[in-house]
Amino acid sequence: MKLGKVEFCHFLQILALFLCLSGMNQAEVSRSRSKPYFQSGRTRTKRSWVWNQFFVLEEYMGTDPLYVGKLHSDVDKGDGSIKYILSGEGASSIFIIDENTGDIHATKRLDREEQAYYTLRAQALDRLTNKPVEPESEFVIKIQDINDNEPKFLDGPYTAGVPEMSPVGTSVVQVTATDADDPTYGNSARVVYSILQGQPYFSVEPKTGIIKTALPNMDREAKDQYLLVIQAKDMVGQNGGLSGTTSVTVTLTDVNDNPPRFPRRSYQYNVPESLPVASVVARIKAADADVGSNAEMEYKIVDGDGLGVFKISVDKDTQEGIITIQKELDFEAKTSYTLRIEAANMHVDPRFLSLGPFSDMTTVKIIVEDVDEPPVFTSRLYSMVVSEAAKVGTIIGTVAAHDPDASSSPVRYSIDRNTDLERYFNIDANSGVITTAKSLDRETNAVHNITVLAMESQNPAQIGRGYVAITILDINDNAPEFAMEYETTVCENAQPGQVIQKISAIDKDDPPNGHQFYFSLTAEAANNHNFTLQDNKDNTATVLTRRNGFRRQEQSVFYLPIFIVDSGSPSLSSTNTLTIRVCDCDADGIAQTCNAEAYILPAGLSTGALIAILACVLTLLVLVLLIVTMRRRKKEPLIFDEERDIRENIVRYDDEGGGEEDTEAFDMAALRNLNIIRDTKTRRDVTPEIQFLSRPTFKSIPDNVIFREFIWERLKEADVDPCAPPYDSLQTYAFEGNGSVAESLSSLDSISSNSDQNYDYLSDWGPRFKRLADMYGTGPDCLYS
């Protein structure tokens, strides 16, 4: 019967397994011809057994324990008196021994890739005495390999790159497969490589695993990526061997093998003439199938009538050519431009020059469109000058603007009042003539920067702007004056000719040749005997003394009028007064005090004496204040009647009213209309006794202050009276009014008066006035007695 290849392979594997098992079962401990081993004193015999190496085939899959080998000692007579013991790696767990026969079996499946061999120790013991009859010895159980592991690509899957257009045989990448089987035994770990997918573009070397290109001129632009499948097979690739695969992704990298090409031979763009400078007009791009640095390009304008008007640059991100404006466009001057533009690769590979020039040309035509433009001034900045003495309406200058469009619309002018808030200037709307509208002052504003607006009559929205700088010319219209406010002093012991002050002047004007000031004393001060003035001819002057012996008690301040003239045409002058104070100075001429009041005190009193007097006055004042405070804090009552409390008492005095004006008791209006004020008198609330006062004198004062002064006088009496209670009291003050023809009818006043008034007419009034006639009658010959 004929066997197939697969069946034949399986038969060979079974046969090999059988032969291995037979060889291992025959391995035994060879017997030695020496005597049995025993130990007595120093006597020792040779070993009576020799250990060999055992072999066990891995991956045994049977149900019964796998027989490994047999241990036997010459001492063993077969009567069961000897027992065998096994120890070491895997003893009792993997390997077991029959203690009677010495047979060793493996109880588990063994894997050489996990552990290739086991080291064990065996010993023969006397069963009765449990003493060794043979010395302990080691032996090795080696696991024999079978082809049970396929090759593996531990670094897969792989990625690699190779330049496009590479020649055949260019190395791409090396792949490596590992086999866990024993490389020293058989062909289980001998691997060969083959390519399962990726042909005919790539190949692989069977032994090394190096992948190489297999076709020339592979074009990235046609296909840029390939997926390869590589197989590794053990048993040198023979049938029955195990295999593993991995994938390799190969990317073709770019080379500059494609020149740039414009998609079109010509382009046309329309651009308004109002487009500002640096604006983008167009973007063009030459197509290049390459990528990265191989597609980088540069653009340039090589020809055309717009070389100075336009420029082209490259966009680094998109590799586009950007056309921008360099100068302003003017439809009225030129309506179109033509540009010849070249695009070229920046990095050219000499290997591919045969593919054609790596540059291309195209034509760009730019059409300028007309736009309604604002008026344009003949100059961007006008400079004008005018004197500050110019009268209102004086012509300063003229500005001019025109409409650049073909329609040439008329232009009207105006001033942007935001630049001329004070409205110093006007402009003629039709002619552009600028005139003054107000008086000018160079010292306030030397230069006026104004903006002139020009607008089209047909389209007022179109406004042009011109700028005018008007410089104000100076005239001599400001008189000179002191440069600062001087504080000048002269010592009492000053000597004649002594310099006491150096003065200078300022002038708000700005003459072309600079200032020149002249100083002198006024005519009325020129002959004074105290001070003189010296002009230093350098815009300064010096004040000097003319005598000595200045005394503060005689005159403490001098006023020196100084006349200052400038050099303008016509010249202006002013009189400035210098205040000079007389001071007491020390030995170095430094002023100590300049107060003339010190001389009011008697002569001969020194500063120390003055301080002592002031100290005494202050001490007396303090003592007075202490006495007043102590008296105010006394607890005994100040009023004779201790049962009456001034804080709870209202004292009312019923005096005569105010005549015809006294229409109501305590009318405040009557008090406000009094024309008299009483002299100071003693407080009536100090004691409960009635105080008889002499008739007060009167003096006339204004109506509007009588009431206020009356209250103020009473308040002062209460404040300065040391006998007043230390608490507030309510007091009522009542006055006579004014306006009564009879004035006061007080009996108290009439008795004490020496008035020459005759009241004899009272006797003629009848019995009803008898009492008054008796009181004011002149003699005993009165009508009624």
Side-chain angles (χ1 to χ4, degrees):
M1 184 177 66
K2 296 182 178 180
L3 298 176
K5 291 183 178 181
V6 177
E7 290 81 356
F8 182 73
C9 184
H10 290 169
F11 174 75
L12 291 177
Q13 289 178 350
I14 294 172
L15 181 61
L17 180 62
F18 175 76
L19 292 176
C20 290
L21 292 174
S22 299
M24 287 184 292
N25 290 335
Q26 294 298 323
E28 294 181 351
V29 179
S30 62
R31 297 180 179 179
S32 175
R33 298 186 183 274
S34 61
K35 294 181 179 180
Y37 167 79
F38 64 93
Q39 185 173 0
S40 174
R42 296 183 179 180
T43 304
R44 178 178 178 181
T45 61
K46 294 183 180 179
R47 286 186 55 187
S48 60
W49 62 349
V50 178
W51 298 101
N52 291 330
Q53 191 176 42
F54 294 98
F55 294 91
V56 178
L57 194 65
E58 68 171 337
E59 303 294 345
Y60 172 71
M61 304 297 293
T63 56
D64 297 330
L66 177 64
Y67 181 74
V68 177
K70 184 180 181 64
L71 300 179
H72 184 71
S73 174
D74 291 343
V75 180
D76 189 3
K77 302 300 184 179
D79 55 0
S81 61
I82 302 299
K83 66 176 181 179
Y84 299 93
I85 297 174
L86 190 65
S87 63
E89 292 180 320
S92 301
S93 59
I94 299 176
F95 303 101
I96 59 175
I97 188 171
D98 188 331
E99 63 178 14
N100 295 320
T101 64
D103 293 331
I104 302 174
H105 292 80
T107 60
K108 294 182 179 180
R109 181 175 65 87
L110 301 177
D111 187 357
R112 189 201 66 83
E113 286 71 37
E114 292 182 2
Q115 188 165 346
Y117 61 91
Y118 295 86
T119 300
L120 293 95
R121 295 182 297 278
Q123 195 169 28
L125 301 177
D126 186 279
R127 188 178 296 275
L128 296 177
T129 62
N130 206 28
K131 291 182 179 181
V133 297
E134 296 283 354
E136 184 181 62
S137 182
E138 288 185 350
F139 67 95
V140 175
I141 299 177
K142 189 174 182 180
I143 311 303
Q144 192 170 9
D145 183 50
I146 65 172
N147 190 20
D148 60 341
N149 290 278
E150 72 277 4
K152 294 182 180 180
F153 293 91
L154 301 180
D155 297 329
Y158 296 85
T159 57
V162 63
E164 63 175 334
M165 299 295 177
S166 295
V168 175
T170 302
S171 178
V172 179
V173 69
Q174 182 178 13
V175 297
T176 303
T178 58
D179 195 319
D181 293 326
D182 189 358
T184 62
Y185 180 78
N187 296 323
S188 297
R190 296 182 62 184
V191 177
V192 293
Y193 301 93
S194 61
I195 183 167
L196 302 182
Q197 179 180 322
Q199 295 174 331
Y201 305 102
F202 299 93
S203 63
V204 62
E205 290 187 354
K207 294 183 179 180
T208 62
I210 297 175
I211 300 173
K212 298 181 179 180
T213 58
L215 283 182
N217 301 327
M218 285 191 293
D219 191 1
R220 185 199 67 83
E221 289 71 34
K223 185 177 181 180
D224 63 346
Q225 198 172 77
Y226 297 85
L227 181 62
L228 282 62
V229 177
I230 305 298
Q231 181 189 62
K233 190 174 184 180
D234 58 14
M235 300 298 291
V236 200
Q238 296 178 1
N239 292 335
L242 303 179
S243 63
T245 60
T246 188
S247 64
V248 181
T249 302
V250 180
T251 301
L252 297 183
T253 58
D254 185 59
V255 296
N256 191 11
D257 58 340
N258 293 278
R261 294 291 179 263
F262 283 106
R264 297 165 56 183
R265 293 292 90 191
S266 65
Y267 298 86
Q268 179 174 315
Y269 298 95
N270 294 344
V271 178
E273 64 173 334
S274 61
L275 204 64
V277 174
S279 298
V280 176
V281 175
R283 287 175 174 263
I284 60 175
K285 184 178 181 180
D288 192 331
D290 297 321
V291 294
S293 61
N294 297 318
E296 291 181 357
M297 284 177 283
E298 57 181 355
Y299 297 85
K300 61 182 177 179
I301 301 174
V302 296
D303 195 9
D305 55 1
L307 288 174
V309 182
F310 302 94
K311 72 173 183 178
I312 189 169
S313 58
V314 63
D315 188 327
K316 298 297 183 181
D317 296 328
T318 62
Q319 296 301 315
E320 292 177 309
I322 304 174
I323 303 174
T324 55
I325 301 175
Q326 281 187 299
K327 295 181 179 179
E328 292 183 352
L329 303 178
D330 188 359
F331 173 81
E332 288 72 27
K334 190 172 180 61
T335 59
S336 66
Y337 298 89
T338 301
L339 306 174
R340 289 280 295 168
I341 297 177
E342 178 189 57
N345 277 141
M346 296 181 63
H347 309 285
V348 178
D349 194 334
R351 296 178 299 169
F352 305 104
L353 290 177
S354 60
L355 299 178
F358 282 78
S359 63
D360 197 18
M361 302 281 291
T362 189
T363 301
V364 177
K365 187 173 184 180
I366 299 174
I367 306 298
V368 181
E369 297 178 343
D370 188 23
V371 175
D372 189 7
E373 300 174 273
V376 178
F377 284 87
T378 56
S379 176
R380 294 189 62 85
L381 177 63
Y382 294 88
S383 297
M384 302 178 184
V385 294
V386 62
S387 172
E388 66 175 326
K391 296 181 180 180
V392 175
T394 301
I395 296 176
I396 302 174
T398 304
V399 297
H402 68 281
D403 184 6
D405 299 317
S407 60
S408 186
S409 174
V411 175
R412 294 183 62 82
Y413 302 94
S414 64
I415 294 178
D416 184 357
R417 291 304 176 184
N418 290 325
T419 61
D420 184 26
L421 297 175
E422 301 295 330
R423 295 182 176 267
Y424 284 108
F425 307 100
N426 287 330
I427 188 170
D428 188 276
N430 297 316
S431 64
V433 175
I434 299 175
T435 58
T436 59
K438 283 184 178 181
S439 297
L440 303 175
D441 185 9
R442 187 203 66 85
E443 288 71 37
T444 302
N445 193 352
V447 178
H448 294 264
N449 294 300
I450 63 173
T451 300
V452 178
L453 307 178
M455 63 183 67
E456 295 181 10
S457 299
Q458 297 178 0
N459 185 8
Q462 294 295 333
I463 301 175
R465 285 174 169 79
Y467 304 96
V468 181
I470 301 175
T471 302
I472 310 302
L473 299 179
D474 184 43
I475 63 171
N476 192 26
D477 59 343
N478 290 276
E481 58 186 11
F482 279 162
M484 58 182 293
E485 185 176 351
Y486 294 100
E487 294 182 0
T488 306
T489 61
V490 61
C491 295
E492 289 182 308
N493 56 357
Q495 299 299 319
Q498 182 174 334
V499 176
I500 62 173
Q501 184 68 59
K502 185 176 183 181
I503 61 174
S504 60
I506 58 173
D507 193 328
K508 295 180 181 179
D509 296 318
D510 188 16
N513 298 324
H515 289 289
Q516 180 61 50
F517 300 117
Y518 304 96
F519 301 86
S520 63
L521 295 178
T522 59
E524 60 272 15
N527 297 322
N528 78 91
H529 301 288
N530 301 310
F531 305 99
T532 185
L533 183 71
Q534 176 182 325
D535 192 339
N536 298 326
K537 308 300 182 183
D538 60 353
N539 290 340
T540 64
T542 303
V543 180
L544 304 95
T545 58
R546 301 185 71 172
R547 67 179 179 87
N548 57 2
F550 294 92
R551 294 182 63 82
R552 284 177 291 167
Q553 65 271 29
E554 295 178 359
Q555 185 173 350
S556 62
V557 179
F558 293 89
Y559 299 98
L560 187 66
I562 298 176
F563 188 70
I564 308 175
V565 183
D566 63 16
S567 59
S569 180
S571 61
L572 296 179
S573 62
S574 67
T575 300
N576 298 262
T577 301
L578 182 67
T579 302
I580 305 173
R581 298 185 181 275
V582 180
C583 298
D584 179 25
C585 302
D586 58 12
D588 297 327
I590 300 175
Q592 299 297 315
T593 178
C594 300
N595 296 326
E597 290 77 5
Y599 287 92
I600 298 174
L601 296 174
L605 288 178
S606 64
T607 304
L610 294 176
I611 295 175
I613 293 172
L614 291 176
C616 292
V617 172
L618 290 176
T619 303
L620 291 174
L621 290 176
V622 171
L623 290 175
V624 171
L625 291 176
L626 288 175
I627 293 172
V628 171
T629 304
M630 294 294 292
R631 295 197 61 177
R632 284 180 176 272
R633 293 185 179 182
K634 288 182 178 181
K635 297 183 179 180
E636 57 273 7
L638 300 177
I639 303 175
F640 294 110
D641 189 357
E642 296 181 353
E643 297 180 356
R644 297 179 61 189
D645 191 346
I646 193 65
R647 291 174 296 181
E648 300 175 357
N649 186 36
I650 298 178
V651 181
R652 177 172 177 177
Y653 301 92
D654 293 325
D655 289 342
E656 295 178 354
E660 287 76 15
E661 293 181 3
D662 190 11
T663 59
E664 190 175 2
F666 302 102
D667 185 9
M668 301 304 290
L671 289 176
R672 293 189 180 94
N673 292 328
L674 293 177
N675 290 323
I676 58 174
I677 185 169
R678 300 191 181 190
D679 291 337
T680 304
K681 63 181 181 177
T682 308
R683 288 174 54 132
R684 293 186 293 173
D685 60 329
V686 174
T687 62
E689 297 178 355
I690 298 177
Q691 305 263 342
F692 291 96
L693 304 176
S694 62
R695 184 179 181 87
T697 59
F698 297 88
K699 56 182 179 179
S700 176
I701 60 173
D703 293 342
N704 59 346
V705 297
I706 180 62
F707 183 68
R708 181 178 60 197
E709 291 187 359
F710 165 70
I711 298 298
W712 177 247
E713 291 292 337
R714 294 301 175 266
L715 181 61
K716 286 197 297 182
E717 291 177 6
D719 290 342
V720 301
D721 188 1
C723 298
Y727 41 73
D728 296 334
S729 62
L730 179 61
Q731 303 174 26
T732 302
Y733 304 103
F735 276 89
E736 296 177 347
N738 60 354
S740 175
V741 178
E743 296 184 349
S744 178
L745 297 179
S746 173
S747 59
L748 298 177
D749 185 71
S750 300
I751 295 175
S752 61
S753 173
N754 295 323
S755 175
D756 57 353
Q757 176 69 33
N758 187 5
Y759 295 97
D760 293 340
Y761 61 89
L762 292 176
S763 302
D764 298 333
W765 288 2
R768 299 184 59 184
F769 294 91
K770 180 179 182 298
R771 182 63 176 173
L772 289 177
D774 293 339
M775 294 177 62
Y776 294 93
T778 58
D781 53 350
C782 183
L783 180 62
Y784 300 97
S785 56

